[in-house]
Amino acid sequence: MEAYRLREKLLREITDADEVLLKIVEDAIETYHHTRLPIASEPMSIEQYNRELDISLEQIKSNDVFTEEEVDEIIKRWGKR
């Protein structure tokens, strides 16, 4: 039941979201699909590290980055919650 409520809440938030929030959600989903979060006691392998670097470099090349102003807006939003 908790997953259902969370899904409904997220759908409402996404429906009303501006471009900055949508980009944050998109990036979170992209990261989720491209990484396997290590357990705290499990060090990241060099292969995983290199994969994450490759993803980051591709994001930079495709200008899939936040401007300083966007980051400021994100930080302001966090403070409001």
Side-chain angles (χ1 to χ4, degrees):
M1 190 63 161
E2 184 62 32
Y4 174 80
R5 278 184 263 213
L6 180 58
R7 185 176 294 111
E8 290 300 311
K9 178 183 177 186
L10 290 173
L11 287 171
R12 283 191 306 273
E13 289 289 332
I14 289 171
T15 300
D16 297 333
D18 63 8
E19 189 173 343
V20 173
L21 180 57
L22 290 173
K23 185 160 178 52
I24 292 168
V25 172
E26 178 186 44
D27 288 344
I29 292 169
E30 191 71 24
T31 299
Y32 175 81
H33 287 298
H34 286 94
T35 61
R36 180 182 59 87
L37 298 176
I39 298 172
S41 62
E42 178 184 323
M44 183 184 292
S45 70
I46 189 70
E47 292 84 8
Q48 180 67 27
Y49 176 79
N50 286 333
R51 277 193 301 272
E52 292 189 25
L53 278 178
D54 290 342
I55 291 168
S56 297
L57 290 172
E58 285 302 316
Q59 288 173 326
I60 292 167
K61 285 179 187 174
S62 65
N63 202 30
D64 185 16
V65 296
F66 291 112
T67 66
E68 185 176 349
E69 293 79 19
E70 289 172 323
V71 172
D72 288 341
E73 283 297 313
I74 293 166
I75 292 169
K76 287 177 189 173
R77 281 202 159 120
W78 289 344
K80 291 180 182 177
R81 293 181 186 223

